Amino acid sequence: MTRLALACTALLVLLFAPISYATSFVVDVAPKTLDSPVNGRLFVFIVGPNRPLHRGESPGGWDFCAEPMPVYATSVKQLKAGDKLVIDEMADWYLARLNELKPGKYSAMAVLDWHDEASGWDMEPGNLSSKVVTFKVDERSSEPIKLTLSEVVNGPSIDPKRVEIVDIKSKALSNFHGREIHLRAGVVKPINFDEGKPYAAIYEVPGFGGRHFDAQREAERRAGMTKGKQSVAKSLAEKTFYIVLDPESPNGHTLFADSDVNGPYGKALTQELIPELEHRYPLVADAKHRIITGHSSGGWATCWLQMQYPDLFGAAWPSSPDPVDFRRFELVDIYDGRSFYERDGKDIPSTRDQKDNVTITVRQEASREEIFTKDNASGQQWDSWQAVWGSNAGHFRPKSLWDPISGEIDRFEAEHYKKYDLSLLLRNDPARYAPIWRERMHLVVGGMDDYYLNEAVAMLRDELAKLPPTGDEKTNNGYIKIVPGKGHGSIYESAEMKHFDDEMLEFLSQP
């Protein structure tokens, strides 16, 4: 090859090769933020390019399912106040390497997660974060972007006049884990509370990322009713305590199911926490005066608790539950599917928008969880399901249902999931479960659920319809409704969900 040809080839490589910019972060720990050295995981979350943050948004709290954004992380040991760390090309990454960031303006935020108590770093007091910093990626990018861990997580604020926190040590869970484990609930008293009067209880299991602190929301709602006109909602609030349970663990949402990995959360709730609540407050201790409700992960837990403890809970109002039929684990069939990531040569979607456009695939979502930890212990959605429904790999971590690289499903591990497959339980023991679904369950899901959860609900509904009739018109008050056009969040706007208060009040008014 001539010199001219070599020169032309080199020029073409320069012209058509991807442009790489030097981007890195220097993260320092502000003084007085840590009392002693800690071990943990350091993250840099970024949003961009040219995607402005709206009010209330931050890179550390970004909804990556709706719009994936890059994340960078590294493990730290014996980190202390005053230390500096570098996040560069050696860091773990999700979506794009640092030198692959497209030109434009970005927002960045550093987070130090050194606790192992819940799925969200911002739910753990003592974790650190930086303020949001904007930066540009262009041909002049050379200086590291500085981020200072100066903000200490304090946890959510609760009005103690409106919400009482119940916190007890669980003997069952502490024995299982070999360390002290607590159960918690946020308690909201009835409107015009009378200590000498017995009351019913509505138990709420929050969705993924929710906690007992969410009781503040119901407290504020009830406070707004006190001077208003009489309504169904107000009548219900006058007759009931509203109790929000804490479903969190180091492995994420527990679903309040007894688990080989997380331990006996169902047993602890039903045999320890609820009896303690009924000891402390004037609650009627029978199923006719106990209602259970929840959305998303809380919706699955609601179905599970009603099915497993029909003598404890009288009726259930779940919405948009996590997969209730594992032939539609979102869109994955864990029994007959070969890959968790692909079907017919195409990536399997994980979430969609209301125009039915895929926003993130299962492969993308699962790989993001790998940024948090490599042993299925991220506490994020897929890992939390594995920790509830999977078998124990040791050290309270779940075995993998699929290979994280190839996506191949482990057939033996999938067998373990069958005892949590609500639709399969119904099919295998209709005499036990069909009456519960027909008489006590009031399930609503959107036909355009963001996570395709309506597909599993439809399969369970169809299985129930195949079974012989049970009960009569007076007792069969349950239903499964799939509301056309509604998504995971917009289902709250549906007439079906707005009718929950009416149905709960009617249930509690029965003799």
Side-chain angles (χ1 to χ4, degrees):
M1 183 177 289
T2 65
R3 290 183 179 179
L4 178 60
L6 285 170
C8 290
T9 301
L11 179 60
L12 287 172
V13 169
L14 289 172
L15 287 174
F16 294 102
I19 299 174
S20 178
Y21 298 107
T23 304
S24 63
F25 300 91
V26 172
V27 183
D28 64 283
V29 186
K32 301 180 180 180
T33 52
L34 295 174
D35 296 329
S36 58
V38 301
N39 301 331
R41 192 80 167 152
L42 177 66
F43 300 91
V44 173
F45 299 95
I46 70 172
V47 170
N50 306 320
R51 173 62 169 86
L53 293 175
H54 300 302
R55 186 175 182 179
E57 291 181 335
S58 75
W62 190 258
D63 183 0
F64 73 94
C65 285
E67 190 175 356
M69 289 291 169
V71 183
Y72 306 93
T74 188
S75 296
V76 297
K77 292 185 177 180
Q78 296 298 296
L79 186 69
K80 60 185 182 299
D83 284 354
K84 292 181 183 289
L85 295 121
V86 175
I87 296 287
D88 57 17
E89 287 301 305
M90 299 301 292
D92 296 328
W93 57 277
Y94 165 73
L95 205 61
R97 297 179 184 273
L98 275 169
N99 64 359
E100 295 174 341
L101 291 177
K102 297 178 181 179
K105 186 177 180 180
Y106 291 81
S107 301
M109 181 180 184
V111 167
L112 174 64
D113 188 348
W114 61 275
H115 286 278
D116 189 21
E117 299 171 359
S119 59
W121 65 268
D122 54 349
M123 292 190 281
E124 301 171 326
N127 282 343
L128 305 180
S129 66
S130 73
K131 294 184 182 299
V132 177
V133 172
T134 58
F135 66 97
K136 288 184 178 181
V137 172
D138 56 28
E139 67 277 1
R140 292 174 292 182
S141 299
S142 58
E143 294 296 320
I145 296 96
K146 183 178 180 181
L147 298 167
T148 301
L149 294 167
S150 58
E151 312 299 305
V152 182
V153 174
N154 295 316
S157 59
I158 292 292
D159 183 351
K161 295 180 180 179
R162 294 180 176 176
V163 178
E164 295 181 6
I165 301 298
V166 173
D167 186 321
I168 67 167
K169 176 185 174 181
S170 166
K171 182 178 180 179
L173 290 169
S174 298
N175 288 343
F176 180 87
H177 286 274
R179 63 185 180 90
E180 197 165 296
I181 303 291
H182 284 237
L183 291 170
R184 304 175 182 87
V187 179
V188 182
K189 292 180 178 178
I191 293 175
N192 302 321
F193 174 59
D194 181 349
E195 292 184 1
K197 180 181 176 181
Y199 289 92
I202 299 174
Y203 289 93
E204 179 192 340
V205 184
F208 187 84
R211 303 199 71 174
H212 56 301
F213 301 116
D214 293 349
Q216 182 71 31
R217 179 192 66 244
E218 176 64 17
E220 292 172 357
R221 189 173 84 105
R222 291 190 171 196
M225 299 176 190
T226 54
K227 295 182 180 180
K229 295 180 179 180
Q230 198 66 23
S231 64
V232 170
K234 186 176 181 181
S235 295
L236 184 64
E238 289 173 338
K239 293 177 179 292
T240 59
F241 275 77
Y242 199 90
I243 301 171
V244 180
L245 305 172
D246 183 9
E248 279 289 324
S249 76
N251 285 323
H253 203 296
T254 65
L255 301 177
F256 285 108
D258 289 348
S259 161
D260 289 359
V261 181
N262 292 333
Y265 268 89
K267 176 182 178 181
L269 169 66
T270 58
Q271 297 184 17
E272 296 177 352
L273 182 57
I274 289 180
E276 178 62 26
L277 289 164
E278 293 180 345
H279 172 71
R280 294 191 189 190
Y281 298 99
L283 298 170
V284 181
D286 68 54
K288 291 182 179 179
H289 292 82
R290 297 189 196 99
I291 285 173
I292 184 94
T293 188
H295 182 73
S296 195
S297 291
W300 190 94
T302 295
C303 295
W304 175 260
L305 290 169
Q306 183 63 75
M307 291 176 70
Q308 299 304 311
Y309 306 97
D311 294 335
L312 189 70
F313 299 105
W317 276 265
S319 55
S320 306
D322 287 353
V324 294
D325 188 316
F326 293 163
R327 294 171 298 178
R328 286 295 182 276
F329 206 81
E330 290 195 358
L331 290 178
V332 179
D333 183 342
I334 71 169
Y335 304 131
D336 291 333
R338 297 185 61 184
S339 170
F340 211 76
Y341 296 155
E342 296 181 7
R343 184 172 57 242
D344 300 329
K346 297 181 180 179
D347 271 13
I348 299 173
S350 179
T351 65
R352 59 179 169 181
D353 61 23
Q354 290 303 285
K355 294 182 179 179
D356 206 21
N357 298 312
V358 176
T359 56
I360 191 170
T361 66
V362 174
R363 188 195 305 273
Q364 289 174 318
E365 188 173 5
S367 67
R368 186 182 188 273
E369 294 190 8
E370 291 287 303
I371 287 291
F372 290 83
T373 177
K374 303 295 183 183
D375 58 356
N376 303 321
S378 70
Q380 303 306 299
Q381 187 65 84
W382 294 104
D383 282 350
S384 71
W385 285 343
Q386 292 184 94
V388 176
W389 301 324
S391 55
N392 199 333
H395 305 289
F396 311 107
R397 301 310 194 200
K399 290 183 181 178
S400 296
L401 177 59
W402 66 91
D403 183 279
I405 305 300
S406 69
E408 183 180 359
I409 296 172
D410 185 331
R411 298 288 187 198
F412 294 102
E413 182 63 9
E415 287 294 310
H416 192 276
Y417 283 56
K418 288 185 175 180
K419 61 183 178 180
Y420 300 101
D421 186 328
L422 305 189
S423 180
L424 183 60
L425 291 176
L426 172 66
R427 300 197 300 277
N428 288 343
D429 195 351
R432 176 182 178 185
Y433 293 118
I436 294 174
W437 278 95
R438 287 173 174 160
E439 297 172 14
R440 307 194 192 190
M441 209 78 78
H442 310 81
L443 190 156
V444 172
V445 66
M448 280 290 294
D449 187 89
D450 300 39
Y451 308 99
Y452 304 93
L453 298 172
N454 53 292
E455 300 229 357
V457 170
M459 296 183 81
L460 186 149
R461 179 197 59 187
D462 294 345
E463 295 294 345
L464 183 62
K466 296 175 186 177
L467 299 175
T470 55
D472 54 43
E473 293 183 4
K474 292 182 179 180
T475 59
N476 286 347
N477 295 316
Y479 56 76
I480 298 175
K481 296 180 180 179
I482 301 176
V483 185
K486 294 298 183 183
H488 199 68
S490 61
I491 189 64
Y492 280 104
E493 304 165 4
S494 68
E496 287 79 4
M497 277 200 72
K498 290 179 180 179
H499 200 53
F500 276 9
D501 281 352
D502 302 75
E503 295 169 349
M504 290 179 182
L505 185 60
E506 182 180 354
F507 170 78
L508 293 174
S509 299
Q510 295 174 2

